[in-house]
Amino acid sequence: MNRLFSSFMLLLTCGFALSAGALDIHFDQDLQQGALLTGKTDAVKLSVLGRTLKPDAKGQFVFGLGRDAEPQLEVTLVGANGESELKRFTVLQRQYDLQEVNGVAKKYVSPPKEVSARISEDAAEVRKARELDRPEVVAYQQGFKWPAQGRISGVYGSQRVFNGVPKRPHYGLDIAAPTGTPVFAPVDGLVSLAHKDMYYSGGTLILDHGRGVSSTFIHLSQLHVKLGEEVKQGQLIGEIGATGRVTGPHLDWRINWFDQRLDPALLLPSAKPEPLP
């Protein structure tokens, strides 16, 4: 009996030591393609998707999963004493719409060669704006609001085939409305890019919300903020237009975590635009 009791206590003690030494992490949202994930960990660092993150003093972190995130996500946690632990999580795979569109003008399918330099310059500006990392800012925690009112004309993840030519997947949420319809900041942000006429996206704004989270607003007819300006949730930042390569006026709103393209609809409190200021 004493030997059995001693063995039980030894197992209990070992079990307690193992659980006490294990690093923990939990998420506030379901892990799925296109999701912006927040959560908490007792690790001092975590590595995910090729980036190393430092949680804040409360252990809070944020990162995002792109449209085509793999079914299994690996996260490496590093503790205060340098110990590390690899954890694996299942990522929900989504089905996306495929649309065939014929009779589209050639300029929307294949841009002329003489604009290739301009397209490259535009892309470099956008990449630079999305690489901004302000770890002390957590505006994304406010809760996102709809930036404009109108008809939902395009959804995240969908892909179009123009005149039989497959195009890149759509990474935003399209809100169709007349030119001049106001666009508001969905949460607080810093204007990290303000361009009146990019080749593909026309009038373009990017707002940084902290820790690599940003919003992009494209095809704008007017910009009401400038580069480096701090804006508040609900502030007028632009107007819907049909600038760039589009077939009609609408707002294309995108969310990024650095280079990971996320689904804005997963951050909104309702399935359709609410009344705005």
Side-chain angles (χ1 to χ4, degrees):
M1 183 67 178
N2 289 338
R3 182 178 299 174
L4 181 61
F5 178 79
S6 298
S7 298
F8 172 77
M9 289 302 295
L10 178 61
L11 287 171
L12 183 63
T13 302
C14 291
F16 176 78
L18 287 171
S19 65
L23 296 169
D24 190 29
I25 183 173
H26 75 267
F27 299 96
D28 300 323
Q29 300 84 13
D30 293 333
L31 277 72
Q32 62 176 310
Q33 293 174 325
L36 180 67
L37 300 170
T38 57
K40 198 169 184 179
T41 180
D42 54 7
V44 297
K45 289 192 301 184
L46 61 94
S47 295
V48 60
L49 300 174
R51 293 182 182 270
T52 299
L53 314 178
K54 289 187 67 174
D56 65 16
K58 297 180 180 178
Q60 297 175 326
F61 62 85
V62 63
F63 67 87
L65 299 176
R67 175 189 185 271
D68 301 311
E70 297 292 334
Q72 187 177 82
L73 177 71
E74 293 189 347
V75 181
T76 300
L77 304 178
V78 179
N81 296 323
E83 71 278 21
S84 65
E85 184 174 347
L86 176 64
K87 292 184 180 290
R88 294 182 174 88
F89 301 93
T90 298
V91 176
L92 176 66
Q93 305 292 285
R94 298 169 58 181
Q95 297 294 318
Y96 301 108
D97 293 334
L98 181 64
Q99 303 172 358
E100 294 192 15
V101 183
N102 296 310
V104 180
K106 185 178 180 180
K107 67 177 182 179
Y108 298 116
V109 179
S110 301
K113 292 182 180 180
E114 58 265 25
V115 300
S116 59
R118 180 184 172 191
I119 291 172
S120 295
E121 290 171 3
D122 290 349
E125 285 193 57
V126 170
R127 283 195 300 271
K128 180 180 178 181
R130 288 176 174 163
E131 279 298 312
L132 182 61
D133 186 7
R134 298 188 296 158
E136 74 284 0
V137 178
V138 291
Y140 57 86
Q141 294 181 354
Q142 284 180 300
F144 284 75
K145 295 184 177 181
W146 285 86
Q149 286 187 301
R151 177 179 60 86
I152 304 304
S153 58
V155 296
Y156 172 88
S158 61
Q159 187 174 21
R160 291 177 176 175
V161 180
F162 284 167
N163 302 337
V165 180
K167 304 303 291 182
R168 295 180 67 190
H170 185 48
Y171 294 111
L173 179 66
D174 288 346
I175 304 173
T179 295
T181 299
V183 177
F184 302 94
V187 293
D188 293 357
L190 171 72
V191 181
S192 57
L193 185 145
H195 198 299
K196 292 182 179 180
D197 186 26
M198 289 189 155
Y199 180 79
Y200 280 117
S201 57
T204 305
L205 283 174
I206 296 182
L207 297 184
D208 174 73
H209 307 304
R211 296 191 181 181
V213 181
S214 65
S215 284
T216 304
F217 310 85
I218 65 181
H219 308 309
L220 301 173
S221 60
Q222 297 289 333
L223 279 61
H224 289 284
V225 291
K226 60 183 184 298
L227 182 66
E229 183 175 346
E230 294 274 5
V231 302
K232 293 295 183 182
Q233 185 178 55
Q235 180 179 334
L236 178 67
I237 58 173
E239 298 175 22
I240 285 178
T243 58
R245 295 301 177 263
V246 293
T247 56
H250 71 281
L251 171 67
D252 184 343
W253 174 37
R254 305 185 177 197
I255 298 287
N256 269 58
W257 177 71
F258 296 114
D259 60 344
Q260 298 293 318
R261 302 170 185 269
L262 314 180
D263 186 354
L266 297 179
L267 297 170
L268 293 167
S270 63
K272 61 182 180 179
E274 313 108 326
L276 296 168

